[in-house]
Amino acid sequence: MISAAAAAIAVLMCACSVSENVTNPSAPDVSEPEETVYYNPLTGTAGYDESARLNRPVAVMVNNIEQSLPQRGISKADIVYEMPVEGGITRLMAVFSDYHNLPEIGSIRSARHDYVELLLPLDAIYLHFGGSEAAKKAISQFEVDDIDGLVFSNTAFRFDKERAKSKAREHCYYSDAALLEAGIEKADIRTELSEPLPSLFTFREDAAVSMTQSAVSVIAPMSGICTASFTYDPASGLYQKAQYGDDHIDETTGKAVAVQNVFLMYTDVDLMQDGLHKEIDLSEGHGYYFTCGKMQPVTFKKDGEDSLLQVYTEDGAVCTVTPGQTWFCVIPSEFESKLSISGAESE
């Protein structure tokens, strides 16, 4: 069991990682130009390459059905959106701020229209393998630059023959930066942004300081089949993810995915007229934000298809978020009653 002291120390480490500039009064008065620091717009972390600021992001649809596991490359994503699709399963959209930095990732699966609404404000290139009719319509309507494996399977994707010995064919397609760039070239896709991306969230190193509830273990059913679980590790200051009753492993690292931030957004999710696919309301919702072993209730609002999803505290202020990678779950409202959070006592 994780001790309260260990958790408190980890929170302090999380909140106090910004170094201060100290002036030496005896030093000569010599002014030196300050070096400009750039931040990753999706994680808020410093050290972002200035030359990458106008490179377009890439959003990749990743299979999350149990028979397709393990996945590759998801632990490197700046943000992962997990949402329900048909049949009670979930699908992931892994987003990387710079298409040049795409690791080997997959297995890659088909597009869904709700994910288009999340990638639009990021002007991201959409990498997928097929898609629902609603997804195809959204891609066309919003003129999304996409690379579809049904068209570019021999250019932008690699079929893993060894994996196909034990997995169905649809669980064996992957891509990476080199393959993606080949697809971009063949499809003649624009690679530059007109201006640098705005920050995905309002990032602050001390975002957890004002939180008064601890959250060590989070168990969030997303359907009758799939449950997303997160366990806080004080040593790393990160939440480790699990699903299907086991660690959520990235095959590339052999380790469980671990992230700085976790969001649970509860909203209306209905069946479409086809009786199969989901219609997810991303315009508003409520839920919880977890970071540094702490939590707070939040609300969500998205003003339109091409607007960023905004996060607010209960009093209506903009929610500040700890710099780092994020896992974002969108969950049907009826499953909120099944949410379990341990260590959530007031301090």
Side-chain angles (χ1 to χ4, degrees):
M1 180 177 293
I2 299 171
S3 69
I9 291 171
V11 172
L12 287 173
M13 290 173 61
C14 190
C16 301
S17 57
V18 180
S19 60
E20 297 181 353
N21 293 321
V22 179
T23 302
N24 181 353
S26 63
D29 185 13
V30 178
S31 297
E32 295 183 1
E34 294 185 3
E35 183 179 352
T36 302
V37 178
Y38 296 100
Y39 296 84
N40 184 320
L42 303 188
T43 65
T45 52
Y48 199 59
D49 191 338
E50 179 183 6
S51 65
R53 296 176 70 230
L54 290 179
N55 290 341
R56 291 182 72 183
V58 57
V60 188
M61 291 301 292
V62 179
N63 205 349
N64 198 41
I65 190 170
E66 189 171 10
Q67 294 91 324
S68 72
L69 303 178
Q71 298 138 339
R72 298 175 193 165
I74 56 171
S75 62
K76 298 294 185 182
D78 293 325
I79 182 169
V80 174
Y81 293 100
E82 180 174 4
M83 299 199 290
V85 292
E86 61 280 359
I89 63 173
T90 64
R91 187 153 295 170
L92 313 181
M93 185 171 76
V95 186
F96 302 80
S97 63
D98 180 2
Y99 74 95
H100 283 304
N101 292 332
L102 184 69
E104 182 185 31
I105 190 164
S107 58
I108 298 175
R109 287 294 276 145
S110 52
R112 294 293 181 271
H113 70 286
D114 300 296
Y115 295 87
V116 172
E117 193 173 337
L118 291 170
L119 67 85
L120 271 178
L122 302 176
D123 195 15
I125 299 168
Y126 196 18
L127 186 61
H128 62 97
F129 209 107
S132 65
E133 290 304 313
K136 295 174 185 176
K137 181 179 178 180
I139 289 169
S140 175
Q141 175 184 350
F142 297 109
E143 299 181 339
V144 175
D145 287 327
D146 71 311
I147 299 177
D148 186 347
L150 294 180
V151 179
F152 297 102
S153 62
N154 295 324
T155 303
F157 297 80
R158 178 179 67 83
F159 180 71
D160 190 329
K161 295 180 181 179
E162 188 63 30
R163 197 172 203 260
K165 294 177 181 179
S166 59
K167 302 284 185 183
R169 185 177 185 86
E170 63 267 25
H171 305 324
C172 299
Y173 284 93
Y174 296 84
S175 191
D176 58 29
L179 290 167
L180 173 61
E181 289 183 41
I184 287 173
E185 182 176 357
K186 189 165 186 177
D188 193 24
I189 289 175
R190 170 178 54 86
T191 59
E192 290 191 354
L193 300 165
S194 58
E195 57 184 23
L197 283 178
S199 291
L200 186 60
F201 303 113
T202 300
F203 293 104
R204 283 189 54 169
E205 292 280 359
D206 61 353
V209 169
S210 61
M211 297 184 185
T212 59
Q213 289 184 301
S214 64
V216 173
S217 174
V218 182
I219 302 173
M222 298 187 67
S223 71
I225 296 174
C226 193
T227 294
S229 301
F230 302 89
T231 302
Y232 183 64
D233 173 29
S236 64
L238 305 176
Y239 282 93
Q240 293 185 355
K241 187 172 187 288
Q243 63 174 2
Y244 299 115
D246 205 350
D247 288 344
H248 193 156
I249 298 295
D250 184 331
E251 189 178 23
T252 306
T253 64
K255 299 178 180 179
V257 176
V259 295
Q260 180 70 67
N261 304 300
V262 176
F263 285 98
L264 305 182
M265 174 180 171
Y266 290 92
T267 189
D268 292 335
V269 178
D270 299 309
L271 271 179
M272 298 182 69
Q273 290 185 347
D274 63 8
L276 176 64
H277 296 100
K278 304 292 186 181
E279 184 71 66
I280 301 174
D281 182 7
L282 293 173
S283 65
E284 61 181 358
H286 69 275
Y288 308 89
Y289 168 45
F290 305 87
T291 188
C292 298
K294 299 286 186 177
M295 65 163 286
Q296 66 176 345
V298 293
T299 60
F300 304 90
K301 186 174 178 59
K302 196 174 191 298
D303 292 330
E305 290 89 350
D306 58 355
S307 299
L308 286 173
L309 188 63
Q310 303 290 340
V311 188
Y312 301 93
T313 59
E314 284 187 303
D315 61 4
V318 174
C319 179
T320 57
V321 176
T322 308
Q325 294 167 286
T326 296
W327 198 282
F328 198 112
C329 295
V330 179
I331 308 174
S333 294
E334 60 264 31
F335 287 95
E336 186 174 5
S337 63
K338 300 180 183 296
L339 173 64
S340 174
I341 304 171
S342 66
E345 72 281 357
S346 296
E347 293 192 341

